[in-house]
Amino acid sequence: MKVKMISRNPDEYVRETKHEHHKLPRNYDPALHPMESAREYVRALNATKLERVFAKPFVGNLSGHRDGVSCFGKHPKRLSTLTSGAYDGEVRVWDLANRESIRSFVAHEGFVRGICYNVSGERFFTVGDDKNIKVWNSNAPDVGEDEEPINTILSRTMITGISHHRKESKFATCGEYCSIWDESRNDPLKNLKWGVDTLHDVAFNPVETSVLACCGSDRSIILYDQREANPLRKMVMTMKSNKLAWNPMEAFNFTVANEDCNLYTFDTRQLRNPLKIHFDHVSAVTDVDYSPTGKEFVSGSYDKTVRIYNVHQSHSRDIYHTKRMQHIVCVAWSLDNRYLFTGSDEMNIRMWKAKASEKLGVIRPRERVAFNYQEALKEKYAAHPQIKRIARHRQVPRHVLNSQKKMRAVKDKELRKEANVRNHSKPGSVPFVGEKKKAVLKEEV
């Protein structure tokens, strides 16, 4: 007669010390878990719901300006330093860790139109309505000393924007034309013109560092190369572009914020059609800035909302708004990819989390593992209707919702009218024109 005995080895379930975790039996054979997918789906659903519960993106505000905030300058070496300019000519340097202003001085008469740092971060440049380019020291003056610029350059024409070269001691300004300057000289190295009344934004490419682009008042976007004597290419859109931002990871791609409530991502090799049109805003888009990863960008609009987009998607992944926030004039994405900054008409700078439900502070290893597991589950079941609906749902202000309904009605009316004209016309006389082809009117070389 055989006697079967159950034997248990204490080494498999007893802890050696009380500081260790309890040992748990794990069965890795998926065939022995018939309810595995159902269990994972419930976990993914709960993770998606918890993400919306913990979505509190607002971190804090930086108050101190006495007029609307007009522009930002990010320090290339310090994450905790941000410089802002206002409509009254005041410039403030902020300590983001403590959320306080560490320097403030009046730099210009009238608006501050642009701020940028040099490559090392030791100096920053400001331009304003008084036609001055001023160079300031990044470090605060000693106690008792007044704020004085290191250098002041008086331009012959008005200046509306400034951008610094990524590697060299050169910077570009825009106004009546695009000028390339050297830090050691008080006269521009060259002026690049292409028959435009005013250029209101300029941006150097961070990857292909000699290339830069400008937005013109005649609805044009002009590409330049600082090594050339003449502009490279120009394209004209249906409406004016307010701001331009280059993708920091893809040398050819840039995104423009347009007056027609949309953003357009272009490839410089094929300017006739945009790569992607980004919808959802209901008023003119005033500013755009890329994340350091180049995968996402943030936009601010006159409709008092901030939206975050994936570069490959037409609709925003998130929308931020508060009751008191007015028209957003400038936005910035921090260089550690974790925070957003917005400056608006009502004199406040607001800090937001780039991921609304992200936990701030120290995250323990077990928490990190749990978060990664939840992200993997959400990605696996992202196409499921329930999870998709919960993940996409956002509360938007009533005026935005009403404007979206009006825009949708106008769009439907235009499509219906076009279809009626096509049905009652000679076949082939009314061609189909794609949305992407409508945005760009012409391209000049």
Side-chain angles (χ1 to χ4, degrees), residues 236-302:
V236 180
M237 302 186 69
T238 51
M239 292 189 76
K240 190 182 81 166
S241 296
N242 291 319
K243 286 285 182 178
L244 184 144
W246 290 92
N247 190 320
M249 289 295 170
E250 297 177 10
F252 300 104
N253 296 358
F254 64 89
T255 300
V256 292
N258 205 274
E259 284 280 330
D260 64 358
C261 315
N262 298 332
L263 297 108
Y264 298 89
T265 299
F266 286 95
D267 189 321
T268 51
R269 297 164 292 186
Q270 176 61 37
L271 289 174
R272 190 65 190 153
N273 299 326
L275 290 175
K276 187 67 75 175
I277 304 176
H278 308 277
F279 304 100
D280 287 346
H281 278 297
V282 295
S283 190
V285 189
T286 53
D287 201 2
V288 59
D289 191 28
Y290 265 92
S291 71
T293 60
K295 295 180 179 179
E296 294 179 320
F297 61 85
V298 59
S299 65
S301 169
Y302 229 60

Side-chain angles (χ1 to χ4, degrees), residues 242 255-264 277-289 297-309 314-321 325-329 331 342 396-397 399-408:
N242 291 319
T255 300
V256 292
N258 205 274
E259 284 280 330
D260 64 358
C261 315
N262 298 332
L263 297 108
Y264 298 89
I277 304 176
H278 308 277
F279 304 100
D280 287 346
H281 278 297
V282 295
S283 190
V285 189
T286 53
D287 201 2
V288 59
D289 191 28
F297 61 85
V298 59
S299 65
S301 169
Y302 229 60
D303 62 12
K304 308 175 187 176
T305 62
V306 183
R307 287 185 182 268
I308 303 172
Y309 292 86
S314 294
H315 295 280
S316 61
R317 75 158 171 86
D318 220 331
I319 175 174
Y320 297 163
H321 56 87
M325 188 160 65
Q326 295 302 308
H327 308 308
I328 295 168
V329 182
V331 296
T342 61
V396 298
H399 69 92
V400 173
L401 194 66
N402 292 339
S403 299
Q404 283 175 337
K405 289 178 182 176
K406 286 180 187 174
M407 290 174 69
R408 202 172 296 121

Side-chain angles (χ1 to χ4, degrees), residues 91 93 103-108 122-126 132-153:
V91 170
V93 181
R103 289 172 70 185
S104 67
F105 50 90
V106 176
H108 297 277
E122 295 173 357
R123 299 175 178 182
F124 64 91
F125 302 77
T126 62
N132 283 336
I133 305 170
K134 294 189 178 181
V135 187
W136 307 83
N137 197 331
S138 293
N139 298 319
D142 295 331
V143 179
E145 291 186 12
D146 294 332
E147 289 278 3
E148 291 294 335
I150 299 171
N151 189 17
T152 301
I153 304 169

